[in-house]
Amino acid sequence: MDSLPPEISLNIFSRLPFVSLIYCKRVSKSWNALLKHPHFPYLQKAFHDFQNNLCLILHCSSTCSPHDHIFIVNSCSHLSDPDEHWKDIMDINVPLQNHKFNSIVNCNGLLFLSYIESDNIMMHNKGCVYNILAAKLTNLPNSPTFFKEFKVAYGFGFHPRTKEYKVVRIVEQECVSYDFGRFKLSLDQTIEAFTLGTYAWRTKRNNPFLLQMQPSEALVNGALHWLGQAKVSHSQLIISFNLEDEGFYQIPSPNCRFDMLQSHLLLLGGCLSLTVHTDKNNIDIWLMKNYGIQGSWTKEFTINSGSLSLGSIRPLFLLSNGKVLIEYAKQSLFLYDTNKKMTKKINLGDFPYYFQAVPHVKPIN
């Protein structure tokens, strides 16, 4: 293969599953150098977006270990037999020892990881980005926030026009005000943004919303999405953060009632999607078929929880065979057949008991 022109070799490599590419890096120095070509990520993304290939990260944490384990499961979009052991599974060794990760977001093979670090006086929320293919760790600078952090949540994504990766940091803090002779406790949020390749965070001042304190799992049209509410009316909304102009916008919601604490946004079938818990112990899945158009929201299907606890069901992917991959109670994966209305547990083999599934956040545009 070394005798082939570089453009042909890159085309061949771009068609391989992600796990196979990691093995190819170890074959020779020439292959390793070729896979670091600046055009390769875009070739690989274009091919796998066309094929609708999906990969899944399993974040495993144990009280018996001082650090977490991260596994990558490749090509789960074609999963059809839950009883068959998964193939192409690899343990990702992030060079960050003795840390427990609070959240992990996967975008185009780059993992954003957050963790807490102590200096014996205070606890600090820290973040880094790990390039799986290049095996390169980039530590993010300290946040400019100096007040006590009550809660912290993150978003991580890529904008196809600017070709920039950005981390969004939501810092929630308690505020005390004095009103009409009494003290009042409330919550406020500070939003910070960081562009990979730069050196400092930027604080965003104009945010009329309070965002749900969860990692964003929906990257659509170059924007990260959260559930949230207006600061004035307290109405529950879908909020986007545009990664190009770094502005907040309200996205039209479907014609249904949803509880911000029991619903969440995700990406299913390339569409912005919303899960809604119903009074009948079911989960309705709504898809926005035409982004930004309120009338394009469609209730695509309903997941009947059956014997499973409704609050522990978390949809992850809409697979190419029409089934839905579901995480259950951070310890199991199920396939839900939308036609037969049945769930079947997936054989995970000798995986650790507890894990957090991290779907691939693809920049759909």
Side-chain angles (χ1 to χ4, degrees):
M1 192 162 165
D2 289 342
S3 61
L4 295 175
E7 60 270 17
I8 295 180
S9 298
L10 284 171
N11 189 291
I12 294 172
F13 279 129
S14 70
R15 299 166 185 268
L16 296 178
F18 200 88
V19 172
S20 300
L21 289 172
I22 298 175
Y23 288 121
C24 287
K25 279 188 56 188
R26 304 170 182 173
V27 172
S28 67
K29 291 183 178 179
S30 61
W31 282 22
N32 185 30
L34 193 61
L35 290 173
K36 293 181 179 179
H37 193 284
H39 290 165
F40 179 72
Y42 304 110
L43 286 173
Q44 191 207 24
K45 175 187 176 302
F47 176 78
H48 289 284
D49 281 358
F50 177 76
Q51 296 291 325
N52 195 30
N53 288 339
L54 302 170
C55 68
L56 183 69
I57 300 291
L58 296 182
H59 169 211
C60 305
S61 184
S62 171
T63 56
C64 300
S65 174
H67 61 274
D68 293 352
H69 291 276
I70 300 175
F71 297 90
I72 181 170
V73 183
N74 213 49
S75 299
C76 60
S77 58
H78 302 291
L79 182 66
S80 57
D81 184 5
D83 296 322
E84 182 179 349
H85 284 272
W86 281 13
K87 301 176 182 179
D88 290 335
I89 301 177
M90 175 178 284
D91 190 352
I92 303 298
N93 295 313
V94 179
L96 195 64
Q97 297 298 319
N98 300 325
H99 283 97
K100 297 286 188 177
F101 301 120
N102 297 325
S103 61
I104 299 179
V105 183
N106 173 25
C107 181
N108 288 343
L110 298 185
L111 296 182
F112 169 78
L113 308 108
S114 68
Y115 58 95
I116 293 178
E117 196 171 78
S118 173
D119 60 4
N120 296 324
I121 300 176
M122 292 184 63
M123 308 292 283
H124 302 277
N125 287 281
K126 310 280 284 188
C128 62
V129 173
Y130 182 68
N131 186 323
I132 301 176
L133 194 57
K136 180 182 178 182
L137 183 71
T138 302
N139 289 305
L140 272 59
N142 292 328
S143 163
T145 302
F146 295 106
F147 47 76
K148 182 180 179 181
E149 299 168 347
F150 182 60
K151 286 183 181 178
V152 177
Y154 293 91
F156 177 56
F158 173 82
H159 196 284
R161 197 190 72 81
T162 63
K163 301 293 189 296
E164 292 177 331
Y165 287 90
K166 292 186 179 181
V167 179
V168 179
R169 188 173 186 263
I170 310 168
V171 183
E172 190 170 81
Q173 62 272 359
E174 294 177 319
C175 301
V176 179
S177 59
Y178 189 76
D179 192 16
F180 295 104
R182 64 176 61 184
F183 289 99
K184 183 180 179 182
L185 183 65
S186 62
L187 294 176
D188 197 11
Q189 292 177 347
T190 298
I191 310 297
E192 300 165 348
F194 178 82
T195 303
L196 289 194
T198 62
Y199 302 97
W201 291 87
R202 299 175 302 283
T203 301
K204 314 309 296 181
R205 300 294 180 185
N206 299 319
N207 174 26
F209 310 106
L210 286 176
L211 307 182
Q212 186 182 39
M213 296 301 292
Q214 298 289 339
S216 173
E217 296 181 359
L219 177 61
V220 186
N221 259 36
L224 295 166
H225 296 75
W226 281 272
L227 294 176
Q229 63 183 31
K231 290 182 178 179
V232 178
S233 66
H234 302 291
S235 56
Q236 300 196 13
L237 308 168
I238 297 176
I239 311 300
S240 73
F241 179 84
N242 188 294
L243 291 175
E244 183 176 15
D245 64 22
E246 298 186 356
F248 288 95
Y249 302 92
Q250 180 180 343
I251 302 299
S253 302
N255 291 322
C256 68
R257 295 180 61 183
F258 62 90
D259 184 346
M260 191 173 73
L261 299 178
Q262 294 184 333
S263 302
H264 81 277
L265 294 168
L266 69 160
L267 200 64
L268 289 179
C271 298
L272 179 65
S273 305
L274 175 69
T275 67
V276 179
H277 291 197
T278 71
D279 296 334
K280 298 180 180 179
N281 208 35
N282 295 329
I283 298 178
D284 289 339
I285 307 294
W286 290 78
L287 270 63
M288 194 181 217
K289 299 294 185 67
N290 192 354
Y291 182 75
I293 306 300
Q294 199 277 338
S296 70
W297 278 107
T298 304
K299 188 169 72 171
E300 195 71 5
F301 50 85
T302 297
I303 296 178
N304 189 332
S305 62
S307 61
L308 303 179
S309 172
L310 189 66
S312 300
I313 295 176
R314 179 172 166 248
L316 299 171
F317 288 136
L318 180 60
L319 304 180
S320 58
N321 56 17
K323 298 179 181 179
V324 182
L325 183 63
I326 295 172
E327 176 195 290
Y328 180 68
K330 296 186 178 181
Q331 58 181 309
S332 306
L333 292 176
F334 284 81
L335 279 181
Y336 181 77
D337 192 316
T338 57
N339 295 319
K340 298 179 181 179
K341 314 294 184 185
M342 296 175 57
T343 56
K344 191 167 184 181
K345 189 175 182 179
I346 294 173
N347 185 355
L348 294 180
D350 298 328
F351 265 86
Y353 190 67
Y354 292 104
F355 60 83
Q356 176 79 28
V358 182
H360 178 76
V361 181
K362 297 198 302 181
I364 302 297
N365 53 73

